[in-house]
Amino acid sequence: MQKPLQTSYTARTKTDEVIQDIDLIGKVAIITGGYAGLGLETTKTLAFAGSTVIVPARNVEKAKEALVGIPNAILYPAIFDLSKRSTIDYFLQWFNKNYLKLDILVNSAGIMAIPLTRDEMGNEMQLSANYLGHYYLTKGLLPKLQRANGARVVNLSSRAHRYSPFHFDDPNFNKSQYDKWIAYGQAKTAVSLFSVAIDELFKKDLIRSFTVHPGSIVTGLSSNLSDEELATMGAIKSNGERGYDQYNDEHKTISEGAATIVWCATSPQLEGFGGVYCENVNIAPISTEKNDKVGVKPWAIDKDLALKLWNETPLLFR
């Protein structure tokens, strides 16, 4: 399945090109992190195409300001924190009470390259916020996704999945020395495996799942990185500001990065597909060489590992 399609889209494709001629009236979407960066761009795109878009937020006041003027965007009125299981449960209760189905779930929120931190249950925070929270959220939403009779789940991974496979023996760094990039890479590998598992287990219910690498975009996600770290990544402009002077297949604007998210969430080109890793508004090839500039590593799309992670997550983590 991991074979690129013949499309007219490129790394320069923007969200408005992808959503053109797609009518989402009557659809219901949830976008975590839907009030900043890539998530906000996705919220705008789906909402202006007619979908009702539910945005749960950790910072409710910031989200309220960001969503002003966006038709069909609905802010969940309480704090939603992916690292706190209780807030996920409260959101599920609220959503299940107010909505009959869920057509699109975009698991976009996340954190990157932070110092060693643990959630209130002792889990390593990058794994908790990027993967675990979305795991429990998505499982809780399965009945509503099934009722849509053709739902899509989009999970944001990253090129950083190349930094590490998933370590079943010590995912929380209880024994091994913590490295913020290894931890981030493991979390993004977990997200990709999670996506594969969803598709394998629930495609019988017409739920299809997609993994997205949006590209490298300078957003609030990089707030924990110093200017020196960003400079080594080429993410400091010649005038000293954070960002890129030039764009390519990897370095993108927010709209270009969100285009692949919107494509996976809505495009009829993906009917019959699922469980695939996508980038540059296409299905990505498998990356087998160390210096490959595109593609997904085999360990992030391995079906056996994906099902193992799905089944063992409640045992591995508190």
Side-chain angles (χ1 to χ4, degrees):
M1 296 291 285
Q2 206 64 51
K3 295 180 180 179
L5 305 177
Q6 294 294 321
T7 80
S8 60
Y9 299 133
T10 69
R12 300 278 72 79
T13 296
K14 296 180 175 61
T15 52
D16 59 349
E17 299 170 67
V18 174
I19 205 67
Q20 186 177 9
D21 300 325
I22 294 178
D23 183 357
L24 297 181
I25 292 175
K27 302 292 187 182
V28 178
I30 293 172
I31 303 177
T32 69
Y35 60 102
L38 293 166
L40 178 58
E41 183 70 18
T42 305
T43 295
K44 291 176 181 177
T45 304
L46 300 191
F48 278 106
S51 176
T52 297
V53 182
I54 314 301
V55 180
R58 186 170 57 177
N59 187 329
V60 177
E61 287 305 312
K62 179 180 177 182
K64 187 182 298 183
E65 293 177 8
L67 298 177
V68 170
I70 303 176
N72 308 314
I74 298 174
L75 175 63
Y76 169 61
I79 293 173
F80 175 85
D81 186 333
L82 284 161
S83 70
K84 295 182 178 179
R85 209 74 49 80
S86 61
T87 71
I88 297 172
D89 291 340
Y90 292 140
F91 173 76
L92 289 170
Q93 292 171 20
W94 175 85
F95 183 82
N96 288 332
K97 180 181 178 181
N98 289 284
Y99 295 91
L100 296 176
K101 63 164 185 169
L102 177 61
D103 300 277
I104 299 168
L105 171 60
V106 179
N107 291 320
S108 175
I111 56 177
M112 179 178 74
I114 64 170
L116 178 58
T117 312
R118 299 190 185 279
D119 67 16
E120 58 191 13
M121 301 182 76
N123 303 303
E124 189 275 316
M125 187 62 81
Q126 293 196 73
L127 202 52
S128 178
N130 291 299
Y131 166 63
L132 276 177
H134 286 129
Y135 173 88
Y136 286 106
L137 173 67
T138 304
K139 287 188 79 171
L141 289 168
L142 281 171
K144 298 299 185 183
L145 289 163
Q146 289 165 332
R147 291 195 65 169
N149 198 33
R152 292 194 186 182
V153 180
V154 181
N155 298 294
L156 262 69
S157 184
S158 166
R159 178 85 73 231
H161 80 274
R162 295 164 170 247
Y163 296 160
S164 177
F166 187 83
H167 298 288
F168 285 90
D169 57 337
D170 186 28
N172 276 320
F173 293 87
N174 291 322
K175 304 171 187 175
S176 54
Q177 183 174 356
Y178 180 78
D179 179 291
K180 66 182 182 181
W181 288 113
I182 296 296
Y184 183 62
Q186 175 185 237
K188 289 305 184 179
T189 290
V191 167
S192 183
L193 291 173
F194 170 53
S195 201
V196 172
I198 293 169
D199 197 80
E200 182 64 18
L201 292 168
F202 301 105
K203 59 187 174 185
K204 68 181 186 302
D205 299 311
L206 303 181
I207 300 171
R208 304 312 301 258
S209 182
F210 302 88
T211 307
V212 169
H213 167 53
S216 296
I217 300 101
V218 180
T219 66
L221 186 66
S222 61
S223 61
N224 290 295
L225 301 181
S226 67
D227 285 351
E228 289 74 21
E229 287 175 300
L230 285 174
T232 64
M233 302 174 186
I236 296 292
K237 297 180 182 180
S238 54
N239 64 4
E241 295 178 358
R242 293 186 168 208
Y244 302 112
D245 283 320
Q246 296 182 330
Y247 297 96
N248 53 38
D249 284 1
E250 178 63 21
H251 297 165
K252 299 184 179 185
T253 66
I254 289 176
S255 182
E256 290 167 353
T260 306
I261 303 172
V262 173
W263 184 67
C264 288
T266 66
S267 177
Q269 288 181 304
L270 288 168
E271 291 294 334
F273 289 89
V276 288
Y277 177 103
C278 301
E279 62 186 3
N280 292 327
V281 202
N282 207 334
I283 296 173
I286 295 176
S287 169
T288 56
E289 300 297 327
K290 183 177 181 180
N291 295 321
D292 283 344
K293 294 184 178 180
V294 297
V296 58
K297 291 298 182 185
W299 64 62
I301 53 170
D302 185 288
K303 192 177 297 184
D304 291 336
L305 291 177
L307 294 174
K308 176 180 171 69
L309 180 60
W310 176 275
N311 291 325
E312 293 187 9
T313 288
L315 306 175
L316 287 168
F317 305 98
R318 287 175 284 179

